[in-house]
Amino acid sequence: MRILISNDDGFQAPGIVALYNALKDMAQVEVVAPEHNNSAKSNALTLHTPLYVTQAVNGFRYVNGTPADCVHIALTGLLDYRPDLVVSGINNGPNMGDDTIYSGTVGAAMEGYLFGIPAIAFSQVEHDWRHLDAAASKVREMVTYLKEQDLIGQTPWLLNVNLPGVALNQMGQFKLCRLGRRHAAEAVITQKNPHGQTMYWIGAAGQAKDDADGTDFHATAQGYISVTPLQIDLTDHAHLKDWVQSICDLNHITGI
Ligand code: MN
């Protein structure tokens, strides 16, 4: 098995080192990750700046780009083989509910999925890196199981996994979840720079709005590891038919 690892916190983040150490004995593992923190970069690709790949002393390769850049480059020319699995993380903080739209951790995994490769995004709910060893241990358990079940093969899938930041003996079971929802983000924060210009800092993510039983928010709050299969078709299938008449009328009004 050959695994490509990336993240959005940067190649020096404790989470990616833990991920590498958790998987290095069970596969041929390669790390291609952003040089700097690229949280909230989603699936952004860098199109107007050249990208450079540099090898760190520990063998990790880092890129002056986004998480999706890293996986994209790896899969389209940097690696001379096709990985069997793309794994992203372990992120410093949760990627639940609406976070998955913005998340660079999910973006890196999604880039692998877009290329037809099974992919998993791992995030630790707490931001303090405590109990990273416990999270890494559960990552290893999960990947080992998926391998043994022959689920790491030709059929691509995309899993979003959030691990509570607790010790191994406190960690709950894996729990299949749907995504919850957050309230809209907090207000932007403004400050003056030394030249009197106004600076805007994007505010914090909103609190959970839908954290009902069955959601990732609910599961991780109970100490479980949330596992959510993701898709990339954003079509609102449930309401597709509600728009039929409106679009028909629009064409009529505009005379097309
Ligand atoms: Mn991050």
Side-chain angles (χ1 to χ4, degrees), residues 7-10 37-40 91-93 95 103-105:
N7 75 346
D8 77 359
D9 296 326
N37 191 308
N38 269 261
S39 294
N91 188 59
N92 185 24
N95 279 309
S103 167
T105 306

Side-chain angles (χ1 to χ4, degrees), residues 78-89:
L78 179 65
L79 304 183
D80 57 5
Y81 60 89
R82 182 180 165 87
D84 303 300
L85 179 69
V86 173
V87 180
S88 178

